[in-house]
Amino acid sequence: MAGRLAGKVAVITGSGTGIGQAIAIRYASEGATVVVNYLEHPEQADETKARAEAAGGKAITIQGDVSKIADTNRLIDQTWQQLGRCDILVNNAGIEIGANFWDITEADYDRVLDVNLKGAFFLTQAFVRRLRDAKRPGRVINMSSVHEDMVFPHFPTYCAAKGGMRMLMRDLAVELGPLGITVNNIAPGAISTPINARMMANPTELNALLANIPLGRMGTVDDVAGLALFLASDDGAYVTGSTYVIDGGLMRNYHEQ
Ligand code: NAI
Ligand code: BGC
């Protein structure tokens, strides 16, 4: 199939829902074969696969917990075994746990850091080792957040993880540039997905948030997928070491409630 990602293979973590799902479908519509990674709901991954195929691409599903190094290695190994290559990695899987700072447990700290940061770190390592051995170029796209840079009181674990992702991206852009591998972050603002379900169900919180967004609406998953396509496509070939904010202007106009 023709398209801006024709012939490419892309792994997108946590792509049974939300932003990851939209990216998988968009990539497939541009000719990529997509690997739909999911944690515990195969039916969600199957839905992404069906929609990716309906969009004209190919898709496979692979279960794996990105916070477990054995799983990140297996995800890349199975991709190469089944598809013979892997050109694009989207580190999209993420979680947030809100709490007063003084109530945060070690288990919650570990979970948020392990999924959002350690997972991206070691999955990228497995991805890069294969490319280095095969002498092939690649693209790494991390789903960071405006909170890699902007405060999010009551979510300090999330900020620590996304802030770490910001410097991880910058570091790897330099180290991996000579291998022809680009590394960039996407920093969404408030996007309408399951991660925001609680907030979106509370009109007071939702309206307060919307008042902070100059464009006056939450972002859609398709807004983010378009940017992820740019970074994976030939148009993004010379972009590395950057964070692309996509937030309707939120970062320039944020007030804590
Ligand atoms: P979501 O909750 O729909 O997506 C997160 C996905 O990650 C889910 O499919 C979930 O099953 C998966 N996941 C969680 N733990 C995992 C694990 N250990 N291994 C594999 N997969 C796992 O929410 P959304 O919004 O689509 O989130 C995607 C990314 O976007 C996250 O990294 C999030 O931090 C980031 N983001 C989201 C924003 C928003 O407003 N929705 C704004 C900024 C960043
Ligand atoms: C968080 C969302 C939040 C958004 C804007 C994202 O990183 O995951 O819950 O609405 O930032 O604050």
Side-chain angles (χ1 to χ4, degrees):
M1 184 192 163
R4 292 165 73 188
L5 301 180
K8 305 284 194 211
V9 169
V11 170
I12 303 122
T13 62
S15 49
T17 62
I19 293 169
Q21 180 178 64
I23 292 172
I25 295 165
R26 182 71 64 92
Y27 281 9
S29 77
E30 292 286 346
T33 299
V34 294
V35 178
V36 180
N37 159 255
Y38 66 97
L39 178 61
E40 53 190 9
H41 290 290
E43 72 285 0
Q44 294 175 343
D46 287 342
E47 185 201 312
T48 305
K49 177 178 180 328
R51 291 177 60 187
E53 288 169 348
K58 297 196 193 97
I60 64 170
T61 65
I62 300 182
Q63 191 280 334
D65 181 341
V66 298
S67 71
K68 297 195 167 76
I69 295 176
D71 283 21
T72 57
N73 288 335
R74 180 174 52 77
L75 179 54
I76 296 299
D77 286 348
Q78 286 185 357
T79 299
W80 277 80
Q81 281 156 15
Q82 293 186 45
L83 302 172
R85 60 191 291 166
C86 185
D87 310 280
I88 301 156
L89 170 63
V90 183
N91 285 308
N92 168 78
I95 58 167
E96 60 184 39
I97 302 176
N100 290 326
F101 174 67
W102 44 87
D103 290 331
I104 294 167
T105 63
E106 183 179 8
D108 286 350
Y109 174 97
D110 285 346
R111 191 71 196 142
V112 173
L113 271 291
D114 285 357
V115 174
N116 292 285
L117 186 57
K118 181 178 152 191
F121 187 106
F122 285 103
L123 188 56
T124 302
Q125 187 183 65
F127 174 73
V128 165
R129 283 176 172 162
R130 286 277 191 164
L131 291 177
R132 177 204 57 189
D133 293 350
K135 297 191 168 36
R136 298 181 65 95
R139 303 282 171 91
V140 178
I141 300 162
N142 298 318
M143 203 54 59
S144 173
S145 166
V146 288
H147 301 299
E148 71 163 43
D149 193 42
M150 187 174 81
V151 299
F152 198 12
H154 308 290
F155 292 85
T157 50
Y158 189 73
C159 288
K162 298 298 189 182
M165 191 171 238
R166 176 184 174 100
M167 280 312 299
L168 176 63
M169 172 276 291
R170 291 177 175 187
D171 219 53
L172 295 188
V174 174
E175 186 168 346
L176 304 181
L179 276 61
I181 299 170
T182 67
V183 190
N184 293 288
N185 284 6
I186 293 176
I191 311 299
S192 182
T193 73
I195 212 172
N196 282 320
R198 190 201 53 79
M199 182 270 293
M200 289 189 292
N202 179 328
T204 311
E205 271 190 57
L206 177 60
N207 288 331
L209 171 69
L210 292 177
N212 282 345
I213 302 175
L215 289 185
R217 65 169 175 89
M218 291 182 73
T220 68
V221 293
D222 290 323
D223 289 328
V224 184
L227 179 53
L229 172 61
F230 163 73
L231 288 171
S233 73
D234 288 347
D235 290 333
Y238 197 57
V239 179
T240 195
S242 288
T243 292
Y244 277 67
V245 175
I246 177 163
D247 71 346
L250 174 70
M251 255 185 117
R252 299 287 166 257
N253 195 42
Y254 184 83
H255 310 283
E256 217 11 67
Q257 299 311 312

